[in-house]
Amino acid sequence: MGTTSAPPVQLHVVGSEDPPFRIFEGGRARGLYFDLLRAAAERAGWVVKIEAVPPARALQMLERGAADAMVGPLRTPERERFLHYSRITLPPEDKAFYTRRNAAPLDSLDDLQGLLIGVQRGKRYGRSFDEERQLRRVEVSEYRSALTMVELNRLDVAVVPERQGDRIVGSLGLKLVKQPLRLPGETPYLVLSRQSPWLSRLPELERAFDQLHRDGSWDEILQRY
């Protein structure tokens, strides 16, 4: 007599600490992306488990099917091999460049030539930056480290999502400046592992996100951050 597998109980979501989008505090996950996800999941009747995982390892877990979902990755052909990009998109965020106060102005990518640039391991910043092979990138585990290393003269510049960078610089009291150069924000997505048992139920969650837009809950959550 055959057996059937039990339906999934929890949607296992993985992601890194990226305030104000993803915040892990006091044993609870919150932030703009997680608050939106929870509001939609509650409407869909889904139970969500959120685990703090560095971005590169989070993607590896999704590739192996060791986790179900992630909120916020950008779309790349490489990732599409193992990720299903839902039609749920999130507010894009420009990437800003932070330097010491005595640094030369940065107005274009050409101005980055020869500089040591702090980036977060496993993150993407947009095609124009990611595909520029001449840039000297230094991967770090978190943006807080990158910005502190700029302050300590161990890096020349750090590239960070703007709201997140402003928050870290302010909270740590770093004596850094935000340069004129920006990388326009690309669209972040809610993604599921192609191996996730939740994939067949994704339309339920997509409809729940549609409801957040229609009844004003989406805008209300955005205003918190």
Side-chain angles (χ1 to χ4, degrees), residues 20-22 31-38 71-72 90-93 188:
F21 310 103
R22 295 181 294 266
L32 175 57
Y33 291 172
F34 290 153
D35 287 0
L36 288 168
L37 173 60
R38 276 208 179 89
V71 192
L90 300 146
E93 179 78 1

Side-chain angles (χ1 to χ4, degrees), residues 41-42 54 91 93 102 117 127 135 147 157 161 174 191 209 215 218:
E42 184 176 347
E93 179 78 1
N102 61 351
I117 307 164
R127 181 173 298 177
L135 297 181
L147 290 163
V157 57
L174 300 176
V191 298
F209 268 93
D215 68 14
W218 178 279

Side-chain angles (χ1 to χ4, degrees), residues 6-224:
V9 176
Q10 294 180 318
L11 180 77
H12 183 192
V13 179
V14 289
S16 60
E17 170 88 9
D18 286 315
F21 310 103
R22 295 181 294 266
I23 301 170
F24 294 91
E25 192 172 71
R28 184 175 184 275
R30 62 182 187 88
L32 175 57
Y33 291 172
F34 290 153
D35 287 0
L36 288 168
L37 173 60
R38 276 208 179 89
E42 184 176 347
R43 290 170 187 246
W46 291 24
V47 178
V48 175
K49 170 191 173 183
I50 301 175
E51 180 183 4
V53 174
R57 185 154 68 88
L59 289 167
Q60 290 170 359
M61 291 174 70
L62 292 169
E63 186 170 12
R64 299 195 314 267
D68 296 303
M70 193 173 178
V71 192
L74 303 183
R75 191 168 201 150
T76 70
E78 177 189 5
R79 292 174 177 178
E80 286 181 327
R81 291 187 299 101
F82 59 91
L83 295 180
H84 175 84
Y85 282 78
S86 74
R87 62 177 178 81
I88 300 164
T89 60
L90 300 146
E93 179 78 1
D94 286 354
K95 311 300 188 298
F97 292 79
Y98 298 83
T99 66
R100 292 179 296 281
R101 292 178 178 176
N102 61 351
L106 301 177
D107 296 302
S108 71
L109 292 181
D110 290 340
D111 295 329
L112 296 172
Q113 297 296 330
L115 301 182
L116 288 179
I117 307 164
V119 298
Q120 188 172 15
R121 187 176 297 110
K123 290 296 181 72
R124 296 291 180 269
Y125 296 88
R127 181 173 298 177
S128 62
F129 181 85
D130 295 340
E131 295 183 356
E132 178 52 68
R133 298 183 180 277
Q134 302 302 316
L135 297 181
R136 300 172 64 194
R137 300 172 183 82
V138 177
E139 293 188 338
V140 298
S141 59
E142 58 181 15
Y143 288 125
R144 182 181 296 259
S145 300
L147 290 163
T148 301
M149 289 170 71
V150 174
E151 172 103 332
L152 297 175
N153 203 23
R154 294 169 59 191
L155 291 172
D156 297 307
V157 57
V159 54
V160 185
E162 188 166 13
R163 271 185 288 191
Q164 189 174 353
D166 290 351
R167 184 182 181 122
I168 295 171
V169 168
S171 65
L172 296 182
L174 300 176
K175 297 179 177 62
L176 302 179
V177 296
K178 187 165 54 177
Q179 291 283 344
L181 178 60
R182 292 287 188 285
L183 296 175
E186 295 188 6
T187 301
Y189 287 81
L190 187 146
V191 298
L192 264 66
S193 166
R194 291 192 180 275
Q195 299 185 50
S196 171
W198 289 88
L199 197 53
S200 63
R201 297 180 57 186
L202 179 59
E204 300 171 24
L205 191 63
E206 291 174 330
R207 288 193 293 270
F209 268 93
D210 291 341
Q211 292 173 2
L212 295 184
H213 281 286
R214 285 197 299 270
D215 68 14
S217 300
W218 178 279
D219 291 334
E220 181 182 330
I221 292 171
L222 258 60
Q223 288 171 8
R224 298 178 195 167

